[in-house]
Amino acid sequence: QVQLVESGGGLVQAGGSLRLSCAVSGRAFSSYYMGWFRQTPGKERELVAAISWNGPITYYTHSVKGRFTISRDNAKNTVYLQMNSLKPEDTAVYYCAATSGSSYVSQYDYWGQGTQVTVSS
């Protein structure tokens, strides 16, 4: 069984920064693609960033390129999302997810409970 627990969300002013963490328990963390999604009421869940099992392949949705950075520490079974220059439109519940597929567009098998990020203007 794989469990994901996010932390690091909160309230921040526009232009500020937050770092989200996702601690993963269970085996084979290093073999999973990891992704960060976000969702706001009435909208579909959106893939924000993803990282391959060993780190060199990353994906970012257009709206966060240059502001967000995804990284992972396989020794600590943790994936991070550093969010800089935050905007009010980044306000959402952020979810960490893991897939055993070979690409960031694979179906994600495991999900965290989500952490709220609120950016005030």
Side-chain angles (χ1 to χ4, degrees):
Q1 185 71 13
V2 177
Q3 292 185 322
L4 290 72
V5 179
E6 302 100 333
S7 61
L11 173 64
V12 65
Q13 288 188 331
S17 298
L18 284 174
R19 188 175 83 154
L20 305 183
S21 298
C22 175
V24 182
S25 62
R27 57 192 179 96
F29 167 76
S30 61
S31 66
Y32 290 116
Y33 249 93
M34 299 297 300
W36 284 98
F37 290 75
R38 65 186 179 188
Q39 189 170 27
T40 55
K43 291 189 177 181
E44 290 190 359
R45 193 170 292 186
E46 172 191 31
L47 176 61
V48 175
I51 188 167
S52 59
W53 67 272
N54 58 352
I57 300 174
T58 56
Y59 163 83
Y60 297 95
T61 193
H62 178 73
S63 62
V64 308
K65 283 183 180 178
R67 300 188 298 121
F68 290 12
T69 302
I70 189 171
S71 61
R72 65 190 295 163
D73 185 337
N74 287 344
K76 295 183 178 179
N77 281 16
T78 302
V79 62
Y80 305 97
L81 185 67
Q82 178 67 44
M83 305 185 295
N84 298 329
S85 302
L86 282 161
K87 303 176 181 180
E89 52 263 43
D90 295 318
T91 295
V93 178
Y94 283 72
Y95 297 90
C96 174
T99 176
S100 56
S102 59
S103 166
Y104 64 84
V105 296
S106 300
Q107 181 175 340
Y108 284 76
D109 309 295
Y110 305 101
W111 293 84
Q113 81 288 350
T115 185
Q116 176 71 45
V117 171
T118 303
V119 184
S120 63
S121 57

